[in-house]
Structure formats: C-alpha cells, structure tokens
Amino acid sequence: MSRFKIFDLPIPGLKLIERIKLGDNRGFLSRLFCAEELSTAGWRKPIFQINLTYTSRKGTVRGLHFQHPPYAEMKMILCLRGKVWDVALDIRSSSLTFLKWHAEILSEENNRAILIPEGFAHGFQALTDDVELIYFHNAPYVPDAEDGISPCDPNLGITWPLPISELSSRDATLPTIERTFTGLVL
C-alpha cells in the first residue's frame, strides 16, 4: 500500500507529494520519507542530511538557495507546523523551463511536500508565525558550493503573497539574475 500520492508539477522533475495519513481515534501515522516509493518521483540517492528550520515571523522569506555541481542537491521539503508558500526556481541550463518558477502551499493541514530536483534554487515565505519545515537532502552541505539568487529579483517576477517582513542579511545581498547567467550544468 502506497503512503504517498505523487503529482507532476508544471516544471519537469518538480513533484508534489501528498502523504497519506493512516489514523483512527488514537491519532495517525504519516510516513515522511520512503526511498523505495519516492524513487518513482526521481529520488535515487541516499539521504545525506535531514534539516529542520524554524521561522518565527509571518512574512519572512528565506532563499532562494542552491548548491553548485557536483554538490547540487535534490530536496524534499515538508511543513510540520504552520504554513508556507514554497518556491522552486529552475536554473538548469539545458531546461526548456530555465528561470521559470513554481510555488505550492505546504502546511501542517494539507500534509503535502515538494520534491525539488538538482538544478533548482529554493525559497519560501512563512504565511503564519511559528513555522517548522523539515528538509531531506541527497547531497552534503558544502559551504564553498552554496549560492543564491535574490528573492526580490524583478527579472524573476516572483510575487510573494505577503509583504516581506524579514529577510536575513545574507539573503538581502544575494545577486539578481544577470543576462550572462547561464544556469547550472548538471
């Protein structure tokens, strides 16, 4: 019995995952990750790390972050508490959807996750206070490989649903996409 429903999103490789809750009067069980089942969605490598983020303030934006090859990473993100507007930006140089983005609402109520393949930048905006997200990564974090794109870059046309209440000093200084940006070669 599958514990996930997997849906294709408008950008190739990007997937929406609905976790199926099994429950009764005592509560429920919801599988967070299963390598075997998620292999049909494109997850083929081991999990290198699992991270938890906490965002205290509604309107906060984090991102858009990525790692350069050979440390480009696939991520699966799910919301344990609160609600976010989660954005994936295609920066794969050979992609027909290069520099296109897609967003999904992830919340503790909708039991959804987003599976983001290598070659994407990722960010989110907290739609509630006290948000907790869990990230599954298929590559190690390598500080020298990390990079980002400004979440406020007008060239991308991302319209955040709320006014941005907070942005880290790092994210506030991320560069915009220049005409010379050719994306990631995977």
Side-chain angles (χ1 to χ4, degrees):
M1 175 178 143
S2 178
R3 300 291 176 91
F4 303 101
K5 291 181 183 175
I6 300 169
F7 302 94
D8 291 327
L9 292 172
I11 300 175
L14 196 59
K15 306 286 184 186
L16 180 67
I17 311 294
E18 285 189 6
R19 298 183 331 272
I20 297 169
K21 286 184 177 180
L22 300 177
D24 57 25
N25 61 331
R26 301 167 296 161
F28 69 88
L29 176 128
S30 176
R31 183 164 291 160
L32 300 181
F33 186 90
C34 176
E36 182 179 356
E37 285 190 60
L38 293 172
S39 69
T40 63
W43 194 283
R44 305 226 192 303
K45 297 179 183 176
I47 294 174
F48 268 81
Q49 57 187 357
I50 301 170
N51 294 312
L52 175 71
T53 65
Y54 170 76
T55 304
S56 61
R57 190 168 169 210
K58 178 180 176 177
T60 298
V61 169
R62 293 180 183 247
L64 302 162
H65 303 142
F66 65 93
Q67 288 198 152
H68 288 275
Y71 304 103
E73 58 189 349
M74 176 176 268
K75 302 176 189 177
M76 188 169 96
I77 299 110
L78 53 98
C79 185
L80 298 177
R81 182 166 62 150
K83 185 191 310 187
V84 299
W85 194 69
D86 201 85
V87 176
L89 171 68
D90 188 351
I91 56 173
R92 300 172 291 184
S93 64
S94 61
S95 175
L96 295 176
T97 53
F98 179 63
L99 298 183
K100 303 291 184 208
W101 58 272
H102 180 80
E104 289 287 332
I105 291 178
L106 306 179
S107 70
E108 61 187 301
E109 289 87 20
N110 71 15
N111 223 30
R112 291 180 168 178
I114 191 166
L115 186 72
I116 302 174
E118 291 101 345
F120 280 71
H122 170 258
F124 69 87
Q125 183 173 47
L127 299 178
T128 62
D129 290 336
D130 301 318
V131 168
E132 289 183 5
L133 297 180
I134 190 166
Y135 289 65
F136 297 88
H137 300 261
N138 75 349
Y141 170 69
V142 178
D144 291 341
E146 81 172 333
D147 207 343
I149 299 166
S150 172
C152 301
D153 186 337
N155 300 306
L156 300 175
I158 298 173
T159 306
W160 298 97
L162 301 173
I164 296 175
S165 62
E166 288 190 49
L167 197 60
S168 73
S169 57
R170 174 185 170 237
D171 290 351
T173 61
L174 289 173
T176 59
I177 293 289
E178 301 298 326
R179 291 179 193 246
T180 57
F181 181 74
T182 58
L184 301 182
V185 177
L186 301 175

